[in-house]
Amino acid sequence: MADQTQPWAERTVEVPPQPGVVPPQRDAFQRGVAAVGQPRPSRTPRTEQFPTVEHGDWAAEPAPRRPMSWHLAQARKGGELSAAGALFAFVCWGIWAISGRGNLVAPLLTFVLSLLTAVGLFALARLLGRLILERQFGRVRRSARGAHLVTALFLVGVGVAYLQQTEWVVSAWNWVTGN
């Protein structure tokens, strides 16, 4: 009789072997059919010890320091996005500045501050990429395309803001859209 302390799924019934009777054998391998009754590899317990880790071993060795030229080469990849955004912002700024028909010192200062803000945004995007992608996710960055894309979107927004401050551009836009 089966042991009553075992769960019902683990209870087995022992059938004594009958001499001279060979049970029918299946083909050694059939796709989609489990090999029942085949000997399994031995599952001997692991006897060797795991290596011990000392407290000083927890701090991984930092990556080797790379030269500044390597970092600059990485920052240049994707630069065409920022250049396109800066060109768009410059053209829009030019339309806005010329439409003012006045002194160009204040508009020039505005454009320079916009470019400095874009540079700061680029640096912030690179810093966030380093902290999140490299340190948290362990991913290796091979270019600065994401930071350049963020910077280009900012500069396109700056250019659109310059155009929205130009009266004849707003009038032309309203005429085209029918507003």
Side-chain angles (χ1 to χ4, degrees), residues 109-124:
L109 182 63
T110 304
F111 185 67
V112 169
L113 288 175
S114 298
L115 289 180
L116 289 175
T117 305
V119 169
L121 183 63
F122 176 79
L124 181 65

Side-chain angles (χ1 to χ4, degrees), residues 12-84:
T12 58
V13 177
E14 298 282 332
V15 177
Q18 298 175 357
V21 177
V22 177
Q25 299 292 318
R26 290 190 159 197
D27 190 14
F29 177 76
Q30 289 182 351
R31 182 177 211 101
V33 178
V36 179
Q38 299 293 324
R40 294 170 60 167
S42 120
R43 294 187 181 186
T44 58
R46 186 180 178 130
T47 56
E48 72 261 12
Q49 292 292 327
F50 287 107
T52 56
V53 178
E54 298 298 325
H55 180 66
D57 294 342
W58 285 100
E61 289 186 26
R65 295 195 54 88
R66 295 187 170 112
M68 186 58 105
S69 60
W70 184 86
H71 289 286
L72 289 175
Q74 297 301 310
R76 284 188 190 112
K77 292 180 183 177
E80 64 275 359
L81 295 170
S82 291

